[in-house]
Every structure is written in structure tokens, then in C-alpha cells.
Amino acid sequence: MHHDLATGWTVRLVTGEAPDDLASRLDAVPAEVPGVVHTDLLAAGLITDPFVDDAEASLRWIGESDWEYRTSFDWSDTGDTRVDLVAEGLDTVAHVELNGVTVARTVNQHRSYRLPVAELLRPGCNDIVITFRSPYAYAREQEDLLGKRPHSYENPFNAMRKAACNFGWDWGPDLASVGIWKPIGIHSWSGARIAAVRPLVDVIDGVPTVTVHVDVEWADTEPAAGAELAVEVAGQTALVALGPGQTSASTTIDAPGAALWWPRGYGEQTRHELDVRLLSETGDELSHWTRRIGFRSVEIDVAPDEQGSAFRIIVNGEDVYIRGANWIPDDVFFPRITRDTLQKSITDALESNMNMLRVWGGGIYESEDFYDLCDENGILVWQDFLLACAAYAEDDALWSEFEAEAVEAVTRLTAHPSLVVWNGGNENIWGYIDWNWRSQLGAMTWGEGYYIDLFPRIVRQLAPNTPYSEGSPFSFSRYVHPNDDAHGTMHIWDVWNRVDYTHYRDYRPRFVSEFGFQGPPAWSTLEYAVHDEPRDPFGPNMLVHQKADDGNGKLQRGLGEHLPQPDSYEDWHWTMQLNQARAVAYGIEHFRSLFPLNRGSIVWQLNDCWPVVSWAAVDSMRHRKPLWHALRRVYADRLLTIQPREGALVAVLHNDAAEALSTTVTLTRRSLLGEILAQERMPVEVDARSATVITVPASIASVADSSAEFAAVIADSGERAFWYFAEDPALLLQSDAVAASATEVPGGYAVRVEARSLVKDLTVLADKVDAGARAQDGLLTLLPGEVAEIRVQARPGLEPAAFTDPRVLRSANDLCDPRNA
């Protein structure tokens, strides 16, 4: 029987320097469980919104303080042999007392705890008190104890087992919190219980199979009787006898004819109910576990070849070209993340044509809801172990915590067919090689033992059918630089940090697991969070919401010759959003043009956790930035792109669809006003999961006036690509190139646009009209004479013409029209 302890909690300040006007009001604040202290104080009206202006710094005292959570609950003896206090997640350094007796001291946010408490419970009222240490103070204390090791940013997050990004990152605030962040309750039971189930699926000689490992815990130390496991899946049943006190058993079940689970775009996401029951010798059910599983095989090919060494993800024998994004926690305050919020973010991934999310190592092991939604929708999951951008001690105390959390995470997540990669950590091996760590570390350990010993050993033991990578980036050889583009996985961060985005073409990467470019969030998101007067990209409150080192300076320099420097705040906002979208699209088009050498990319990043200028495609208020619209285009099943090759131009059509493509392409050179200056048509055949290269004829690739002409390749099947012989500021773009009108329609508004001349990257910034408005399309390039309709989802009663206002209906034209200079 489970007794949920979700109600009646209060939180109080134990030690810390609260503001004078708050100190007397922090004795018994109502607390929500699951929750964290920041959200409790916010709900009680005791602090301002941590996301607005410079509130982040003013709330530092919360994380520097110790806090006590307390509740009382009634208990009556159930007659069961065992009674456990089950805490699914405590954040982080906690002292747990039941009726005045210490039952646990915890130091790991990424673990759960099951604590026997039968002897401490009393009939009637019982008290539970959980006191949390300041995470900042504990991290500093542990760093002094373990030795100072390199880490990113200010706080020594690498000295404790708490989500690294909770201490601040270059896209996240420094709002380290404490609290009971996952459910907590009392579990009473007798006989035996199923402690864990690990279903290891595979497809062997075409036959779906699963080996089900079951761990059992017994209530009595010396049970007199045995038990039986009944395992059922896909119409097949197996019975396994357990002797008295036997703590584990396994059985293998073949399921011939059972449908396989496939990534999206490759087949159906069929799942089968796996039902495991633990029965007493008399047939009574002692414990029950059920979960939907999917039959699939997965492997990663990293074999050397003539061009380096590969990184190919293979599911059910099929190569999967990866179109993915890195995933960070969906909110700064993790208990606010729900299945509904996760569904919205995963829908953002699905509708931008992604097929993989990489759960990054500076965050958390996500909830069952996250992985279940990925299973359901065919989104592959690359799962980092939780280490990022730092050197980590390998002392016994920290090692044992890493081991415990890794065993728990791998055991919990083996049931999910979407999880296809376990990865040792983020940028730590690269950091050791390239970031001057060795001179700082001397003889101190730095985490290598986790990547080459502990984690691969746990994966081999508990999830041997899931591939493991030592790190990201990684070249799968001790004798090759870990970020070599010819081998394995690579991160590309000189673009954004130092060089223009055209340098993406300097690389021929086998697989890119991180790259990206910054841009501001939606206008309404900034207006909610930033209130500098006057509005200014370099205003003090804006810079609170720009966490990257010299981020706004890099944004300005990153414009290069691509777009003009903006001369107003609103133009800054649109220019930087547009440049972000173009930079990332430029990289992905180059990567895909290299297929089959390149096998995918994982952009940094899909989502945001608060209102911030960042690399995200979707901001924290769930506005899809122009980058999202760019990703939807370049991550489409079929991408047509024009690329320079050896002094000429080629058009590459990458067909990552399950069907072959037979089409005809029209190649033209045109004036910006629409005159066709040269044209050719040719048939094109592209096999499924393949690519073809079309040489652009000299008549199309040669230009008479680079400021007034462009090239286009348009397939009868709908794919389009454009090539410009000059950067936008040098083009004779016209800001009045669009005739636009808007009408109210069911569910929102329809914006009709007609191009008088070439229009580049036409976008409706709908949230400028109303914060709840969302445009369904963006970054449209229209040829002269073309007409398009952009649907806007918004509440009724708005003025339709507001969506065609020049502040709202934007394009590259209105930034670059030479008449506006």
C-alpha cells in the first residue's frame, strides 16, 4: 500500500541572510511537494518573479541558505512486514528525520531513496522533517575537500551531484534551489516485491526477442517460501520459479511476428505491454510491474574507413540519418515540468522534422513521461550521463554516488525503445585535451575513470544491447583528437565564438553532436522579462538575460557581411533572430550536402528554461523563433540545397524519405524583379535514403550583375533552393516588395502576401500583436508574383491589419533595402 506524502508541508528558513523585510515571514511558508523553495516563496508572494529584470541576483540568498521542510501525517498499522519511506528525489544535501530520528543523509539529486521506517512509525500523528543544506555552501566545501578542478562558470558544480545547470550556464540563470523535487511517500508491503525490471530487447535473425531481468526484494530476511514470476508480452508467457530469498531471475521470450518499433519516418512505433507479476506459492499476487516496450535492435558503426571513421546509428538494420537537437531541462525549476509541458516541447521537435533529442549531461535524467513521449512519437534519445564541461574527482565518496545514480538510471530506462545511445559526458574529454586542464590538475583525477571504466561497465552489465560512447565529442580512438571532424562525433563552436558561420564549410564532419548560433527570444518574451528604459540590447537588465560571455558582442560581430548592423532596438531583435536562423540553416545544409559521409547533426538547442537570449529554437514562453522555421525546412525529409564545389555550383538533393523520388528540376537565373535571364530543366532520380548531385550549368551560375540577380533550383515535387551572388546588404532588395492583407478566419487570422519582387525570409512576428499569437509559417522566400497565405493562431477580436504592420510583417528586405540606408 502506498501512502502519498504530498500535502501539509511547510518550509522555513533555518540559516541564511534573508532581506530584513522577509526574515520574520519565513517560519512556516506553505510548500508544494514535489517542489522547490523558490516556487514556494513565489507562490506565497514573498519574492518577485526570478525571471524578470535583475531579480536573479537579488534572490541569491535563497540558495545560500539552509531550509527545512516539515509535515505531519496520520498512520495506522497495516500489518505489513515492511514499511519504507520512499523519496524519489531530494534536491540535494538533505537530512531526513522521522519522529525525531535520523533516517538518511543524502547528497545526490539524481538518486531515489528507499528507507525502512517501520520501527519509527507510531499510531496516529507522525512528523517528518527534511533539512536541506545550501547547495552553494556544500559545493564550495566539497571543492575544498576534493581539490579544485577546472569547471565552467562561477560555481563548483562538479564537486557535488546536483544538476550542473542549476548553478547557472551560458543560457541559464544561477538559481540553485533546494526541495523535495519528486514524489515522496510511505510504502507498506509483505512477502516480496518487484524492485526493478530490465527488459533487454533485440531482433535476432528477424525474430523480436526480449530478455526480462527481474530484481526482487524480500520483506523477511529469511523467507520460508519461494515465489513465481509470470512474464507476459506479445501473446507469449513465461513462468520462472524463485527459491526463498532469491533476489533476481531472468527469462528470454521470443515473439515471432510481433511488430517492431521504428524511429519516426521508418515505420510504426508499435509497443507491446510487458506484464510482470510476482506470485506467492499459493498464487496470490505480491507485486506487479507493467510497461509498454518496443522490439528493436540498435548499433552504432564507428569502424575506420578511407575518410576517417564513421558514426552511423543503425536501428533494425536500417541506417538512420539523424536530424536532432540537444535538450536541456524544460524549466529552471524542475518540478514545474509536466507531461503536458513535455508534450508541447516534443511536438516542437516533431513538427520541425526532428528524429532525435540528446539529453545533455549538465541537466537531469528526465521523467518517465519524457521517454514515454519519445517512445510514442518515434523520437530517438541520446542520453548523456550527467557530467558536463568540467573535471570530476574520482574519490570513493563521489565515485560511489556516480555508480549508484548510473545503476538506477540505466535500470530505469532500459524499457524505453527510444533510448539508443548512452554517452559518458559532455565535452570533458575534449576539455582535458584542449582546455589547459592538465596543467591545472597535475596528478589529480579528472573523470576519465567514469568514461572508460565505470559507465561502460554498468551499460555492459545492465543494458548490453544499447551502444555506449565515452563522450561527446569523441573520435573512438585514444590516438585521435576527440574533436576531429573525420572521426566519430564533433562539436563546432569556433563558429559563434570566433569565426563567421561560413566557416561551417571548412569541416567535413562525420556527425555533429553540438553546434549552434544565438538569437533573442520572441518580442513578447523579452517584454515580459526585460524592462530597461529605453530598451537597449546592452541595457543592464537585458544583459542579465544574456549569459554568454560577450554574447551580444558576438551577435553583432556574427552579422559579418550577411546583414547590416541594426540602428534600432526593434531592428536589432529581428536582425539577430534572422541571422541565427540563417547561420544554423547554413551549417545543416552543408552537412546534409556531404551525405553519405555525414550521418547527421544535433543542433544546440531545442528549448529554453527561462526568458533569455540563447541558442534555442523555441523560447521559454513557447514561441517558435525564426530558427525553428529554418529547422523545419532544412530538417525536412527532402532537402534541396545549392553549394559551392571546386569553383562551381552544385545542387544537392538529399532524399531522406522511405520512397525514391522522380522529379524534374528547373534551374534559373533571374533578376530580383522576376525576369528569367537563363533557364534549364532536367529530370532527377534519387533513391530512398540517398542523395544526388546536380551540376549547375554555367549559364545559371555565371552572373552579370551580382546585386540584381540570383539563381534558383525548383523541383516539380516542391523542393526549392536559392543562391545569391552577393550578401543581402549588396542586393537591390526592395522593402516595399510585398502587398499584404489580413482577415479574421476560424481559429485566428489569414495573412495574404503577394511579392512584387524577390522577398527574402518573410516572417510574421505575431506575438507583437498579442503575446498568445503564433504564426504557423515563417522565413518564406517568395519569387516575384508569388502569393502565400500565412495562418496565425490567435484569439478573436484582434485588428487583422495589425498583422501586416511593418513592425510585425518583417523580411530581410526591410533591413537591407539600400533606399533605407
Side-chain angles (χ1 to χ4, degrees):
M1 183 180 76
H2 288 272
H3 181 90
D4 191 21
L5 297 177
T7 60
W9 289 91
T10 60
V11 62
R12 73 176 184 91
L13 179 67
V14 178
T15 60
E17 297 184 5
D20 291 341
D21 61 331
L22 281 183
S24 63
R25 304 165 63 192
L26 297 173
D27 186 45
V29 179
E32 185 173 350
V33 171
V36 294
V37 67
H38 283 80
T39 52
D40 292 331
L41 299 181
L42 185 63
L46 296 172
I47 61 172
T48 60
D49 188 336
F51 293 173
V52 173
D53 291 329
D54 61 351
E56 173 195 353
S58 70
L59 299 177
R60 171 84 180 201
W61 64 272
I62 299 174
E64 291 283 4
S65 302
D66 296 348
W67 297 87
E68 177 192 277
Y69 280 77
R70 175 186 295 270
T71 194
S72 298
F73 61 96
D74 287 330
W75 175 258
S76 58
D77 189 356
T78 61
D80 287 300
T81 307
R82 281 280 299 273
V83 183
D84 298 332
L85 175 65
V86 181
E88 295 185 29
L90 300 174
D91 180 14
T92 293
V93 184
H95 175 210
V96 184
E97 292 180 278
L98 179 61
N99 293 328
V101 178
T102 298
V103 295
R105 295 181 185 272
T106 74
V107 292
N108 194 332
Q109 179 180 19
H110 308 303
R111 291 179 60 182
S112 63
Y113 298 90
R114 177 176 284 269
L115 310 166
V117 295
E119 295 181 356
L120 301 179
L121 289 167
R122 58 199 180 203
C125 184
N126 292 259
D127 300 315
I128 183 170
V129 178
I130 305 179
T131 305
F132 291 94
R133 285 277 315 278
S134 158
Y136 295 114
Y138 182 78
R140 292 190 295 264
E141 173 187 294
Q142 290 301 299
E143 183 181 51
D144 289 342
L145 183 65
L146 297 169
K148 296 183 185 296
R149 287 170 168 80
H151 57 80
S152 302
Y153 314 111
E154 175 187 357
N155 300 294
F157 61 82
N158 53 333
M160 66 181 294
R161 297 309 302 141
K162 177 176 170 65
C165 65
N166 207 205
F167 291 98
W169 217 259
D170 57 4
W171 38 257
D174 186 356
L175 289 168
S177 197
V178 301
I180 306 168
W181 78 290
K182 288 186 177 183
I184 187 170
I186 301 289
H187 179 210
S188 55
W189 55 286
S190 296
R193 71 176 190 91
I194 297 171
V197 177
R198 287 184 295 111
L200 306 180
V201 298
D202 207 342
V203 181
I204 300 174
D205 296 329
V207 178
T209 184
V210 59
T211 298
V212 183
H213 294 270
V214 183
D215 294 328
V216 174
E217 185 178 12
W218 297 82
D220 296 312
T221 55
E222 295 183 5
E228 184 177 58
L229 287 169
V231 182
E232 184 176 357
V233 65
Q236 307 294 319
T237 302
L239 300 175
V240 182
L242 294 175
Q246 184 178 339
T247 58
S248 65
S250 64
T251 184
T252 298
I253 298 176
D254 292 337
L260 301 184
W261 182 94
W262 289 92
R264 67 183 304 248
Y266 287 77
E268 297 298 317
Q269 288 75 56
T270 305
R271 290 184 289 170
H272 307 267
E273 200 74 23
L274 172 61
D275 192 81
V276 182
R277 291 180 297 142
L278 180 62
L279 308 174
S280 70
E281 288 190 335
T282 59
D284 296 327
E285 184 174 285
L286 301 173
S287 188
H288 184 207
W289 184 99
T290 186
R291 189 76 48 83
R292 288 184 296 171
I293 65 169
F295 290 107
R296 60 100 179 100
S297 65
V298 59
E299 59 182 305
I300 296 179
D301 173 22
V302 296
D305 57 30
E306 293 180 353
Q307 294 168 303
S309 52
F311 188 87
R312 291 190 304 132
I313 294 176
I314 303 166
V315 179
N316 299 333
E318 296 281 340
D319 283 2
V320 179
Y321 187 86
I322 297 301
R323 297 173 264 152
N326 284 270
W327 173 273
I328 65 170
D330 224 11
D331 195 304
V332 168
F333 303 120
F334 306 149
R336 297 199 301 203
I337 303 170
T338 66
R339 188 179 181 92
D340 179 62
T341 63
L342 291 169
Q343 177 68 77
K344 291 174 181 175
S345 292
I346 288 173
T347 297
D348 288 330
L350 289 166
E351 294 184 357
S352 61
N353 298 308
M354 293 179 183
N355 61 11
M356 174 173 272
L357 293 173
R358 175 190 170 210
V359 181
W360 167 76
I364 57 175
Y365 298 109
E366 293 288 339
S367 67
E368 286 300 305
D369 287 331
F370 173 85
Y371 302 98
D372 185 61
L373 288 167
C374 289
D375 293 344
E376 179 181 304
N377 291 287
I379 297 287
L380 299 174
V381 175
W382 165 319
Q383 177 67 58
D384 280 11
F385 288 103
L386 301 184
L387 308 89
C389 302
Y392 290 81
E394 298 174 33
D395 297 60
D396 289 345
L398 203 57
W399 183 284
S400 65
E401 290 297 335
F402 271 116
E403 183 170 25
E405 74 179 60
V407 166
E408 181 172 335
V410 175
T411 298
R412 175 169 72 93
L413 298 179
T414 52
H416 294 284
S418 58
L419 201 160
V420 295
V421 181
W422 281 102
N423 179 62
N426 178 72
E427 297 189 345
N428 303 315
I429 298 172
W430 184 20
Y432 181 75
I433 296 297
D434 257 3
W435 299 351
N436 197 33
W437 286 6
R438 284 174 287 180
S439 63
Q440 302 173 58
L441 286 165
M444 289 195 296
T445 55
W446 57 276
E448 182 182 30
Y450 301 127
Y451 317 128
I452 69 172
D453 176 15
L454 180 64
F455 296 153
R457 175 160 39 88
I458 289 171
V459 172
R460 282 195 305 270
Q461 290 171 350
L462 301 180
N465 297 343
T466 304
Y468 172 78
S469 165
E470 282 86 343
S472 181
F474 193 64
S475 292
F476 298 91
S477 170
R478 295 178 65 87
Y479 304 102
V480 178
H481 190 284
N483 202 39
D484 188 318
D485 65 341
H487 299 270
T489 59
M490 80 170 304
H491 294 187
I492 302 177
W493 284 119
D494 56 350
V495 174
W496 164 251
N497 281 309
R498 295 188 302 278
V499 299
D500 188 80
Y501 66 70
T502 55
H503 286 272
Y504 280 130
R505 287 191 181 139
D506 294 345
Y507 297 101
R508 291 175 56 81
R510 309 306 296 266
F511 191 99
V512 187
S513 47
E514 267 193 35
F515 71 106
F517 209 90
Q518 265 202 357
W523 179 265
S524 60
T525 301
L526 278 182
E527 285 296 286
Y528 149 65
V530 177
H531 303 105
D532 292 313
E533 290 295 344
R535 300 294 192 262
D536 182 351
F538 290 88
N541 289 316
M542 174 65 80
L543 294 181
V544 170
H545 296 263
Q546 166 58 279
K547 295 299 185 182
D549 181 35
D550 189 28
N552 281 5
K554 291 175 182 177
L555 283 174
Q556 284 192 316
R557 294 189 293 275
L559 293 177
E561 298 180 355
H562 310 299
L563 290 168
Q565 290 290 334
D567 55 12
S568 72
Y569 180 72
E570 289 200 59
D571 277 357
W572 173 85
H573 175 260
W574 166 235
T575 301
M576 299 309 175
Q577 283 201 325
L578 177 57
N579 202 50
Q580 176 190 31
R582 286 186 174 183
V584 173
Y586 187 102
I588 293 173
E589 289 193 48
H590 168 62
F591 305 150
R592 290 189 68 172
S593 77
L594 298 175
F595 179 87
L597 178 78
N598 173 267
R599 293 292 178 161
S601 59
I602 306 177
V603 67
W604 187 274
Q605 65 212 61
L606 175 66
N607 54 332
D608 263 336
C609 62
W610 80 310
V612 65
V613 181
S614 84
W615 295 263
V618 183
D619 75 22
S620 64
M621 308 296 282
R622 304 203 175 278
H623 292 281
R624 292 171 170 177
K625 293 160 66 171
L627 171 58
W628 183 90
H629 295 282
L631 289 172
R632 182 171 61 171
R633 177 181 67 83
V634 296
Y635 272 165
D637 287 352
R638 293 181 175 127
L639 174 69
L640 183 61
T641 179
I642 301 175
Q643 298 287 321
R645 296 279 169 85
E646 298 177 354
L649 293 180
V650 298
V652 180
L653 181 51
H654 181 203
N655 177 26
D656 193 33
E659 304 81 23
L661 176 65
S662 179
T663 190
T664 299
V665 297
T666 302
L667 303 93
T668 59
R669 180 166 51 87
R670 305 173 184 237
S671 75
L672 301 189
L673 296 176
E675 180 184 0
I676 295 178
L677 306 174
Q679 176 173 301
E680 296 199 28
R681 282 175 60 81
M682 60 182 66
V684 174
E685 306 282 337
V686 194
D687 290 339
R689 317 288 184 200
S690 186
T692 192
V693 178
I694 306 159
T695 300
V696 177
S699 60
I700 309 299
S702 302
V703 61
D705 183 352
S706 62
S707 68
E709 300 175 17
F710 69 101
V713 181
I714 300 175
D716 290 353
S717 49
E719 296 78 23
R720 304 177 9 143
F722 302 99
W723 180 265
Y724 304 98
F725 300 99
E727 297 285 3
D728 281 17
L731 292 176
L732 298 176
L733 296 170
Q734 298 182 8
S735 57
D736 57 356
V738 172
S741 61
T743 56
E744 188 166 354
V745 296
Y749 302 83
V751 179
R752 184 185 185 276
V753 292
E754 181 175 357
R756 300 189 183 101
S757 64
L758 177 70
V759 180
K760 295 187 69 176
D761 299 312
L762 189 72
T763 300
V764 178
L765 302 178
D767 68 294
K768 281 189 165 185
V769 178
D770 184 82
R774 305 287 193 275
Q776 294 183 346
D777 295 297
L779 295 183
L780 302 181
T781 291
L782 301 179
L783 300 175
E786 285 190 326
V787 175
E789 182 179 275
I790 302 172
R791 287 296 182 104
V792 177
Q793 294 175 320
R795 60 184 174 87
L798 300 172
E799 175 55 52
F803 293 105
T804 64
D805 185 283
R807 295 177 58 251
V808 175
L809 186 62
R810 300 299 306 254
S811 69
N813 294 47
D814 54 64
L815 296 173
C816 300
D817 188 333
R819 296 173 299 179
N820 298 335

